[in-house]
Structures are given as structure tokens and as C-alpha cells.
Amino acid sequence: MLEGITEYWLCVGGANVDVQGVTSARLLPGTSNPGEVHQAAGGVARNVAENLGWLGEEVQLFALVGEDADGEWLRQVTANSGVATHGMLRIAGKSTGRYLAIRDRDGELYTAVADMELNEEWPAEIVQQGLKRLPQAAGLFLDANLPVEVMRAFLAEARRLNKKIIVDPVSVKKAEKWKGLLEGVHILVASIDELEVLVGQSLHSYNDVEICAKKLVAEGIHQVMVICGEAGLWLCTAQEEKWLAAPTMPIRESAGDAFAAGIIYAQNKALSLTEQAAFGVALAEMRTKGNGQYDIDVLLARKDYYAAKERQILDRE
């Protein structure tokens, strides 16, 4: 590392505005439902960067926004967490990405529309600027809200520099982009549905999850973390494997992004799979209770609590 330059994490991927409609009663399709509508800053890479910023980590974000009020708002909100936003490039004549979700009163997703055409517009110059940031970076977080050729460019350079690469498939649809690109990745964080896409088969049991995750490890990923809902989390490397009990709240969407940020935060603080995952679960829990600067003492206490919740799966069918 060059003298005087602080090591940081480089996050590359999506930044968008999230609009969430949540019904106040059981959702009735085909008609108007009473409820509340909220707007929040979103995008997987942006959310991960923001969570790291609130933890006091040095982080730089490369993402696209439109030349509009939403784009400027996203840049300001992201900068408020301490994230370096010089890599949030405005694309002239384009609108900032928007994600519209409709949820039942219990938080279950009913339907969603993602207007992310902007993410296909990555100019060569912003890609090169991002690549130039990699030599001084501690590692790279990459999501799939990118053209495949941009993903390839960042992956190739990070591998050449021997940087830690942490990736998120983003969704079942976008998980397809990762096929053939995962060799040399340090950590894959995925849902069970995304794992099915990556391995090309349906998963019906605990044993299926374990076998398929270990297959990805055998194909060149150092560490796989699978979020399996109420079943918990399956964690594995070539040398270590275990289940961690599920937290009380679901790890999905913004909480899932906080989980990934917790894993990154743990990289120079915890060696075991259990502790790294526990950092992620603890941060996901804290994210569901509010968004803002985190109390590190609370994070450490919740990390210790979740690290003690390893479990044995007895009924494996």
C-alpha cells in the first residue's frame, strides 16, 4: 500500500431509489389497499457501502445515477454515511433506477417492479476509474446490477491483484450472470433460491443445500454462505462447514445487504466461519431496527450471542 493512502473497500454495483408500499391489512389483489408508502435509498452495492460507512470503515462506491433529483438525493444520502461518492457517476439524459415493491402487512413481498435500465449504461471511462482504485483497496464487493462485461473486468483485475472478492447474486434472475465467473471469489453470499440457479438444480433438503454449496467450493469459491430462511445459514469452505441457527428476523433485502456488510467488516476481525456469519446476522438485526451510525459495542455483543447458536441438523430430508 502506498504511504499516506488509507486502505478501503471498493463496492461496485447498483444504486437506486426504493419505493415500498406496505398494506395495513391483509393484501387483496386486484383492488386498492390501504397502507403506507415509503421511499428509501437502495441498491445492493450502495446499501453495503452505506452500512460499512456507518461502521466507520473506509469505503468507495462506484455506481450509476441519473441526471435528476433522485440521483442527487442518492449521492447526498450515501455521502452522509461517510462513503466516498466520487464514483457515483451521473448519466446525462437518464433517470435514476427505481425499485417499486408491494408488501403485505407482515412484510412478505407480493410483487415488485425494477426499473434498472440505467445499470446497462456503464461507460468505459467509469470502469477504468474503478479499476484504478483496486490496487489500494482491501477488497472488492461486487453485485450483479452490472453488465456481464463490467463484472468480468472487475473480477479479472481483482484476481490479478490477489484481492479478496465478495459477491452477491442480487436476485434469482440476476444470479444467472454469475455462471462461469465465480472461480477465485473469496466469499459468495446467496439465498437458497439463488443457490438453485447457480448450481442448476432444485434443492429439497438440508443435504441438498450442503452438497450444492460444497460443489461451488470445489469449483473455486473459497467460502459460501447460504441464507436459508427459518432453516438458518449454511456456511462452508473446503476445510470447515456448519449450520448457524436462524435469527428471529428474516435476512432479506436491506437486511440481507447489511448481512453482507457485516461479513466484510468481519474480514480482519474474525477467522472462523461462525464469527464472520454472526457479525453479518448481528448487523442485519441492527439494520431492521434503524438506519444510521451503529454502536460497535452493541454489534459485538449481538455477534457473540449469534456465534453461540451453531446447530446440528438431525432430520436432513
Side-chain angles (χ1 to χ4, degrees):
M1 186 172 64
L2 297 178
E3 186 177 353
I5 295 179
T6 302
E7 199 171 58
Y8 49 81
W9 276 86
L10 182 65
C11 296
V12 183
N16 55 262
V17 174
D18 281 351
V19 179
Q20 304 270 340
V22 183
T23 62
S24 55
R26 184 62 61 189
L27 188 146
L28 298 175
T31 188
S32 176
N33 287 265
E36 296 182 343
V37 177
H38 307 279
Q39 177 174 304
V44 174
R46 197 217 68 87
N47 288 353
V48 169
E50 181 180 62
N51 279 287
L52 288 170
W54 286 126
L55 287 168
E57 295 289 291
E58 296 287 338
V59 55
Q60 297 189 11
L61 173 65
F62 276 72
L64 303 185
V65 295
E67 198 175 44
D68 53 17
D70 280 345
E72 186 54 36
W73 177 75
L74 270 181
R75 285 167 57 93
Q76 185 58 55
V77 169
T78 305
N80 288 344
S81 68
V83 172
T85 59
H86 53 265
M88 294 182 73
L89 181 70
R90 297 184 184 91
I91 302 299
K94 296 292 183 178
S95 298
T96 299
R98 295 179 71 87
Y99 174 79
L100 171 64
I102 304 298
R103 297 185 179 281
D104 210 336
R105 62 181 180 181
D106 58 4
E108 287 297 320
L109 182 66
Y110 183 75
T111 190
V113 178
D115 178 5
M116 305 294 180
E117 181 183 355
L118 179 72
N119 288 329
E120 300 303 316
E121 302 285 335
W122 278 72
E125 59 267 28
I126 192 68
V127 175
Q128 290 304 312
Q129 288 177 32
L131 294 175
K132 289 177 181 177
R133 300 286 175 172
L134 268 173
Q136 283 77 47
L140 170 69
F141 175 83
L142 200 64
D143 75 25
N145 287 308
L146 298 162
V148 172
E149 60 269 23
V150 175
M151 294 165 64
R152 288 184 185 276
F154 277 97
L155 288 167
E157 183 65 1
R159 291 188 189 107
R160 186 185 73 82
L161 295 169
N162 197 30
K163 299 293 182 179
K164 280 188 176 181
I165 307 168
I166 299 178
V167 305
D168 189 312
V170 176
S171 69
V172 171
K173 178 67 175 176
K174 291 176 181 175
E176 292 278 355
K177 293 183 176 182
W178 288 109
K179 289 186 175 180
L181 298 182
L182 291 170
E183 184 177 359
V185 163
H186 186 68
I187 302 176
L188 166 71
V189 178
S191 70
I192 193 168
D193 295 332
E194 292 161 353
L195 180 63
E196 287 184 333
V197 173
L198 292 172
V199 298
Q201 71 177 72
S202 298
L203 309 178
H204 303 289
S205 67
Y206 295 112
N207 195 51
D208 286 348
V209 173
E210 295 172 9
I211 289 172
C212 290
K214 287 188 281 190
K215 177 182 177 183
L216 292 178
V217 170
E219 291 175 356
I221 302 175
H222 174 71
Q223 185 171 319
V224 175
M225 295 186 169
V226 187
I227 301 169
C228 303
E230 294 179 356
L233 295 98
W234 172 245
L235 319 169
C236 69
T237 67
Q239 296 78 32
E240 186 181 6
E241 55 190 58
K242 59 191 62 182
W243 282 93
L244 197 67
T248 54
M249 78 299 168
I251 302 177
R252 63 188 178 202
E253 298 194 332
S254 61
D257 301 338
F259 176 83
I263 300 304
I264 294 173
Y265 182 74
Q267 288 307 294
N268 61 355
K269 299 172 181 67
L271 295 177
S272 74
L273 281 174
T274 299
E275 276 208 304
Q276 289 184 22
F279 265 111
V281 174
L283 194 63
E285 176 189 65
M286 293 173 73
R287 175 62 182 83
T288 62
K289 296 179 179 180
N291 189 22
Q293 195 163 8
Y294 295 116
D295 186 321
I296 300 300
D297 289 337
V298 173
L299 176 64
L300 293 173
R302 298 307 291 167
K303 180 268 296 183
D304 290 340
Y305 170 79
Y306 284 114
K309 297 177 75 67
E310 287 184 29
R311 64 178 297 199
Q312 297 293 321
I313 303 297
L314 301 178
D315 180 5
R316 309 184 71 77
E317 298 302 324

